[in-house]
Amino acid sequence: MSPNVRAALLRAYPAALALAGILLALNLISFGFGQAPIDTLRRAFEGTWGTPYGVGQVLFKASPLILTGLAFHVAFRAGLFNIGAEGQLALASLTGAVVAAKLPAGTPAPIALFAALSAAMLAGILAASVPTLLRARRGVHEIISFIMMNRIAEILVPWVLVAGLGAAALRTADVVPGAALPRLDTVIPSLRGSAASAAFPIAVAVAFGVHELLQRTRAGREMRWVGLNPDACRAEGIDVRRRLVQAGLLSGALAASAMLATVLGYKGYFELGLGAGAGWTGIAVALLGRGRPLGIVLAAILFGTLEQAGLSINAVVPKDAMTVLQAVAILLVAIANNAPGATAAAADSSAPPPTAASKAAPAPADEGEGGASSEPDAAPEAKA
Amino acid sequence: MSSILSLTMLAETIRIAAPYACAAVGGIWAERSGVIQIGLEGVLLSSAFASVAFAHATGSAPIGLLGGVLVGAILSVAHAVLVERARVHAVISGIALNLFAFAATRMLLRGLFDSSSNSPGIEGFRVGPTGSSGAALLARVLLDPVTIAAVVAIAVTPYVLSRTRFGLRARACGENPQAAASVGLNVSRIRYMALAISGAICALGGVHLAFDQHRFESGMSNGRGFMALAAVVVAGWRAGYAVLACLVFGALEALQIVLQRTLRQTFGGELIQLLPYVVTLAVLAFAAGRSAAPQGLGKRADD
């Protein structure tokens, strides 16, 4: 087998394993609920890819996942485990929605969108800054501090809704018309009724933009190197702390921007629980997407399909089955990414400095490995 | 004031703190053996569900207790196998475990009990005097078999970890897995055993939670596993201090119950819940928790 074919097969292996696992688990679960598996699959398909409306709903569900997936990816490449997107997105959605509702009613769309998104991103950056700075400045491992920030957001958001805004219905006021993102059905009429909005093309563009940033700019390259080998970077005179902080804050801003799809593109206000779970699923998206922009978009569409399919099978099999499948997919992708073949294929990586295990960084050594295994995927493509 | 310094308050504190303390001590078993375990929340939730499912099916509370503990131990060992054998990052595996537990319990709730919110009521253990006086409440809390099992497990943990051959070996795997392997210890197998103990003790907390409510409710662990994690970090991975921190959490919550009418109305009363997390961040920032972490946490023998 030629090396290229072999590398391509190895690259497809995690996705294939995840898909096979999802199908097998779905069959078993349907069987357990006394349903013919093929019937459940048919329902799942009809509710998603079977109709234009279903397709629109899948794109809608995928939009925030692309952005939270990118959030995890960017931080991960710099060696920072941002498992705090869930809290960052909740705080950002709340902040963005409040700001977008307080604007004067006649605010033109570009200004209103900019104000809402900046406010949201600022909140996301602030939420991400605590664990990021603790890690960069004081060497505190970020896992616990991101979890703490998630819990803080989980308590703070409903409190602000009730005590701060006096909202009995646990939601904010409607955003001004200018801040609402246009729905895709204004351009593609057949998607009528679905919640797919301009957030989807924006998210796809951001995915490719982030890729370019990481591959082609000095800041992006140095972020990746810092993730691979902070010691070597320090020896080369790269400001490791600065790049780490930049990656962490960029990650917070990306997680925050997922509110485009939920608050601005869909509801037009924030309510408790809107967008919940997107932060966690984003981790799965990033792992399955393996750092390639198209990979992340496709992975987000896969998980968006699962979420939407859950609604269409709910009458016969609980929609929570789809979340079980997500957990199965996360594990299978993680297992496949660490398979001996996958790391061997990664060994012919070119650009970054030597990949000795990082000792000084508080992050576990195999974070570097994880980064390294997805490295060659991106590098040759950027040259082509 | 008398309502604060009462037997009722003491009983409530112990009752509320028990699941936290079990999860925290479970976390200490996992992390002292070197396996990062952020899936305590998932273990609590699944064991709570399993205990109700077993107790409901058999009508026997002891079988419910055993079933819950068994499921907790199995999930915890599965986490260790994924980390040690399949080389999945422990944080990823922990997230998957939490996600799985949340969704699977909801799914099974509908499958077994045809409800999306809670199971039918179960008897649980009914031991001790009836009545609503503080003394009766305290007696019921202290005589509850799940509490007794939890107290015993928690009390022997420091001894086992610091005085027994197995405990010392587990800690060696947690401090320096390569060194442990070099003197002939089977690091993976010791970690599997430590995680089985971790899961079983954490599961006692889940069983306690479910039996205390006499039913399972969707998402009933409600962040207790993460709070326990905070207690572990603040306590510097020492069981005694972690349990103390959990008793403080319990007392704070009990205070909210006892003083409900006066405190709930106060502006910001809910924000007391933020305290453990903010304190944990502060402790991390000011170094106390940093050097205390097991040195081999998240490392493998063959790295």
Side-chain angles (χ1 to χ4, degrees):
Chain A
M1 218 186 317
S2 86
N4 281 341
V5 175
R6 196 169 161 274
L9 282 179
L10 278 174
R11 216 179 289 142
Y13 171 55
L17 191 66
L19 276 175
I22 285 173
L23 281 177
L24 180 65
L26 182 60
N27 279 354
L28 288 175
I29 292 171
S30 321
F31 196 69
F33 277 85
Q35 300 296 323
I38 192 73
D39 186 51
T40 314
L41 273 177
R42 208 194 65 238
R43 276 175 185 267
F45 179 80
E46 280 171 0
T48 53
W49 294 93
T51 62
Y53 166 78
V55 174
Q57 283 298 101
V58 167
L59 298 185
F60 156 62
K61 300 269 183 190
S63 313
L65 301 183
I66 296 173
L67 294 164
T68 52
L70 286 169
F72 182 80
H73 169 64
V74 165
F76 187 69
R77 289 310 283 273
L80 190 74
F81 236 112
N82 180 4
I83 57 170
E86 189 72 20
Q88 290 149 21
L89 175 55
L91 288 169
S93 302
L94 174 66
T95 313
V98 167
V99 168
K102 296 267 184 215
L103 293 171
T107 315
I111 297 174
L113 281 173
F114 178 78
L117 188 60
S118 324
M121 283 183 162
L122 198 65
I125 288 172
L126 276 177
S129 70
V130 176
T132 305
L133 289 174
L134 282 179
R135 159 80 189 274
R137 294 277 150 196
R138 309 203 57 100
V140 175
H141 198 302
E142 67 274 14
I143 296 298
I144 298 285
S145 39
F146 273 124
I147 290 177
M148 296 301 117
M149 290 304 291
N150 278 340
R151 293 292 300 159
I152 288 173
E154 210 172 307
I155 295 166
L156 214 50
V157 167
W159 180 78
V160 171
L161 281 174
V162 175
L165 303 171
L170 289 176
R171 53 161 281 190
T172 65
D174 287 333
V175 302
V176 296
L181 271 185
R183 294 280 172 95
L184 281 187
D185 58 12
T186 54
V187 189
I188 312 167
S190 61
L191 296 178
R192 186 168 309 282
S194 82
S197 67
F200 182 75
I202 292 174
V204 172
V206 172
F208 284 88
V210 165
H211 182 71
E212 290 298 300
L213 174 87
L214 285 176
Q215 294 299 328
R216 290 183 193 258
T217 68
R218 175 166 172 186
R221 271 199 305 273
E222 289 188 0
M223 280 180 204
R224 288 187 291 127
W225 292 346
V226 164
L228 286 170
N229 191 338
D231 289 341
C233 288
R234 222 168 270 122
E236 289 287 329
I238 292 172
D239 191 341
V240 172
R241 279 182 182 178
R242 184 163 146 240
R243 294 303 181 205
L244 194 65
V245 170
Q246 284 173 342
L249 301 189
L250 175 60
S251 174
L254 283 167
S257 66
M259 62 80 78
L260 280 174
T262 52
V263 174
L264 303 184
Y266 171 44
K267 285 281 187 185
Y269 56 85
F270 174 73
E271 64 180 352
L272 198 62
L274 181 64
W280 299 118
T281 311
I283 299 172
V285 167
L287 290 178
L288 184 55
R290 306 199 84 198
R292 298 150 63 87
L294 192 60
I296 286 180
V297 171
L298 290 177
I301 289 177
L302 171 68
F303 285 110
T305 306
L306 286 185
E307 278 179 25
Q308 182 61 24
L311 300 178
S312 61
I313 62 164
N314 198 29
V316 290
V317 176
K319 62 176 190 297
D320 307 289
M322 291 300 170
T323 315
V324 172
L325 299 190
Q326 282 192 15
V328 170
I330 291 177
L331 287 177
L332 289 176
V333 170
I335 291 170
N337 278 352
N338 292 335
T343 30
D348 56 338
S349 169
S350 51
T355 53
S358 58
K359 292 185 195 97
D366 46 321
E367 275 180 26
E369 263 175 47
S373 65
S374 52
E375 182 61 25
D377 299 345
E381 199 182 53
K383 279 177 213 146
Chain B
M1 203 58 206
S2 64
S3 65
I4 298 176
L5 295 171
S6 65
L7 291 176
T8 311
M9 175 71 190
L10 183 62
E12 289 288 353
T13 301
I14 296 171
R15 182 181 67 84
I16 294 167
Y20 291 117
C22 290
V25 172
I28 282 173
W29 265 104
E31 305 224 328
R32 287 304 282 270
S33 81
V35 178
I36 301 170
Q37 171 59 307
I38 63 169
L40 296 170
E41 180 77 6
V43 175
L44 273 180
L45 194 58
S46 355
S47 55
F49 180 84
S51 68
V52 170
F54 279 98
H56 188 263
T58 61
S60 151
I63 293 182
L65 171 64
L66 283 179
V69 168
L70 195 67
V71 166
I74 289 172
L75 284 175
S76 192
V77 171
H79 170 67
V81 171
L82 282 166
V83 172
E84 287 289 312
R85 269 196 77 92
R87 308 182 67 85
V88 173
H89 195 291
V91 173
I92 301 292
S93 171
I95 289 171
L97 174 55
N98 287 337
L99 204 59
F100 175 82
F102 182 74
T105 52
R106 279 180 64 91
M107 185 175 86
L108 292 173
L109 203 50
R110 240 184 81 181
L112 294 180
F113 305 120
D114 201 25
S115 158
S116 60
S117 56
N118 57 267
S119 74
I122 52 155
E123 185 62 16
F125 293 104
R126 290 210 190 265
V127 188
T130 50
S132 59
S133 72
L137 197 61
L138 186 61
R140 275 205 300 280
V141 166
L142 292 179
L143 290 175
D144 175 49
V146 187
T147 313
I148 293 172
V151 168
V152 170
I154 290 168
V156 301
T157 289
Y159 172 80
V160 175
L161 275 176
S162 61
R163 295 288 152 86
T164 66
R165 180 190 294 247
F166 173 71
L168 290 171
R169 285 181 168 173
R171 278 172 52 204
C173 297
E175 292 298 328
N176 191 336
Q178 282 107 332
S182 74
V183 295
L185 296 185
N186 185 336
V187 173
S188 290
R189 197 196 301 160
I190 290 171
R191 283 178 170 174
Y192 297 156
M193 286 195 279
L195 266 285
I197 296 170
S198 158
I201 296 180
C202 184
L204 281 176
V207 177
H208 188 282
L209 212 52
F211 279 18
D212 187 49
Q213 299 293 318
H214 294 285
R215 65 179 192 178
F216 177 82
E217 290 157 22
S218 166
M220 76 186 303
S221 51
N222 200 14
R224 285 179 176 81
F226 297 122
M227 200 108 128
L229 215 53
V232 171
V233 175
V234 171
W237 284 263
R238 283 166 298 191
Y241 289 100
V243 171
L244 199 63
C246 290
L247 283 170
V248 173
F249 296 165
L252 277 176
E253 258 188 73
L255 205 62
Q256 282 184 313
I257 293 174
V258 173
L259 297 181
Q260 203 163 30
R261 266 161 218 92
T262 45
L263 196 77
R264 281 282 159 140
Q265 307 302 328
T266 322
F267 184 80
E270 307 272 324
L271 289 186
I272 284 189
Q273 297 169 356
L274 287 178
L275 210 62
Y277 307 112
V278 176
V279 168
T280 305
L281 286 174
V283 166
L284 284 172
F286 299 105
R290 204 171 356 144
S291 50
Q295 294 298 305
L297 194 57
K299 292 185 187 146
R300 293 191 188 85
D302 54 353
D303 272 342

